[in-house]
Amino acid sequence: MCAMTVPKFMAAKQQGRKLSMLTAYDYAWAEIVDQAGVDAILVGDTLGMVVQGNSTTLPVTIDEMIYHGRMVARATRNALVVVDLPFLSYQVSPQQAIENAGRILKETSAAAVKLEGGVSQAETIAALVRADIPVMAHVGFKPQSIRTVGSMGKIQRDEEALLNDAKAAEDSGAFAIVLEMVSRKIAARLTKELKIPTIGIGAGPDCDGQVLVLNDMLGMSPGFSPRFLKKYADLHGVASEAIRQYSEEVRSGSFPDDAHSHE
Ligand code: KIV
């Protein structure tokens, strides 16, 4: 398998090849995800929730994204590594965005950054692309706008607003775009009208690719079961049972046994 690049990622759409993307936040999981053969790994600012335990992504800092991005990029041989620009690391000005996105590319070896916004971030996307920093845009439900929107995971149905956002991102030079919580019909239209790949999460099967949060699709967060999420494993159950059994064996003295002891 040859290493994924931004041009190859874009070409997949013309070739009619669907793109698979998952998040990862550290070396061990990135190695598993990469070797399993996904096209792209997103070091998402969801790490603020699934790794740090916050209720939103807002507290995540650029230094934390770089810390996690470096671990993921170190483990990845084939997938395209994309690192999220966290809240208020790019909204202040295009110059702030170039400085922070530049740090991500220089300090992590990731291939690209992702930011939330279409029309509102058009100038910033264009400035990043002029600075040779590939940008994946993210429209629809935008978790960094939670304080304005009011609740997590609201389905976006304003077709013209979504079309304007998606076109603004494409026209500004984004190489791909995440569609989060967009109705299936609108996601299908955007996918047809855009030349760049659309990567859906809660946006139905007609997108050019899909992304899920690794911890969610592996069943590590048992209380989180939105309709769009398919759980491919029950790691919470498997890990809990292994840890319970270990504790029981330590307490009963059956671990370590002879087979696990040195002469
Ligand atoms: O931060 C993240 O993990 C994301 C995905 C939900 C697309 O943006």
Side-chain angles (χ1 to χ4, degrees):
M1 190 172 166
C2 46
M4 181 57 77
T5 60
V6 165
K8 285 184 200 166
F9 195 84
M10 296 177 81
K13 178 161 183 151
Q14 272 67 49
Q15 293 158 358
R17 196 170 67 76
K18 293 260 190 188
L19 292 157
S20 74
M21 183 170 186
L22 279 175
T23 67
Y25 312 103
D26 65 20
Y27 184 92
W29 279 111
E31 191 172 48
I32 293 171
V33 172
D34 184 53
Q35 287 180 8
V38 299
D39 295 297
I41 298 180
L42 173 65
V43 186
D45 61 356
T46 40
L47 69 85
M49 300 172 77
V50 299
V51 178
Q52 297 176 342
N54 297 304
S55 59
T56 72
T57 60
L58 301 188
V60 179
T61 66
I62 187 75
D63 287 336
E64 288 166 347
M65 292 311 302
I66 288 171
Y67 174 77
H68 287 274
R70 202 182 278 147
M71 289 188 271
V72 168
R74 199 176 288 142
T76 304
R77 299 279 164 268
N78 295 305
L80 189 79
V81 176
V82 182
V83 176
D84 259 339
L85 280 167
F87 182 56
L88 280 197
S89 70
Y90 61 96
Q91 289 92 339
V92 176
S93 66
Q95 183 179 338
Q96 183 210 27
I98 292 175
E99 281 167 6
N100 282 323
R103 276 193 68 197
I104 287 177
L105 260 58
K106 284 166 82 85
E107 296 178 38
T108 72
S109 309
V113 296
K114 176 167 82 59
L115 58 73
E116 295 181 11
V119 172
S120 66
Q121 296 304 324
E123 199 191 329
T124 294
I125 295 171
L128 288 168
V129 172
R130 271 197 304 276
D132 283 328
I133 299 172
V135 180
M136 179 177 282
H138 180 151
V139 304
F141 175 69
K142 302 188 296 287
Q144 292 176 15
S145 304
I146 182 67
R147 297 294 180 231
T148 329
V149 179
S151 62
M152 279 289 187
K154 220 167 147 205
I155 297 169
Q156 308 294 300
R157 301 186 189 278
D158 185 339
E159 190 156 351
E160 287 320 302
L162 285 163
L163 189 61
N164 288 340
D165 273 337
K167 288 264 189 206
E170 177 171 88
D171 292 346
S172 305
F175 73 91
I177 187 163
V178 168
L179 307 180
E180 179 163 358
M181 303 303 288
V182 172
S183 79
R184 177 178 177 174
K185 183 176 137 281
I186 300 175
R189 178 176 172 199
L190 297 183
T191 301
K192 205 159 158 228
E193 296 203 11
L194 295 180
K195 289 182 204 71
I196 57 174
T198 59
I199 310 296
I201 173 163
D206 304 305
C207 299
D208 297 306
Q210 299 290 329
V211 60
L212 285 176
V213 170
L214 183 70
N215 300 46
D216 298 340
M217 60 85 75
L218 290 179
M220 290 161 85
S221 6
F224 185 65
S225 299
R227 178 175 164 155
F228 72 82
L229 176 63
K230 178 169 176 185
K231 296 192 182 185
Y232 286 82
D234 173 23
L235 282 206
H236 188 271
V238 170
S240 300
E241 176 51 26
I243 294 163
R244 192 202 56 72
Q245 195 182 332
Y246 161 78
S247 285
E248 194 182 289
E249 290 186 9
V250 168
R251 290 185 187 126
S252 71
S254 64
F255 176 82
D257 54 11
D258 279 351
H260 295 93
S261 305
H262 298 290
E263 298 288 310

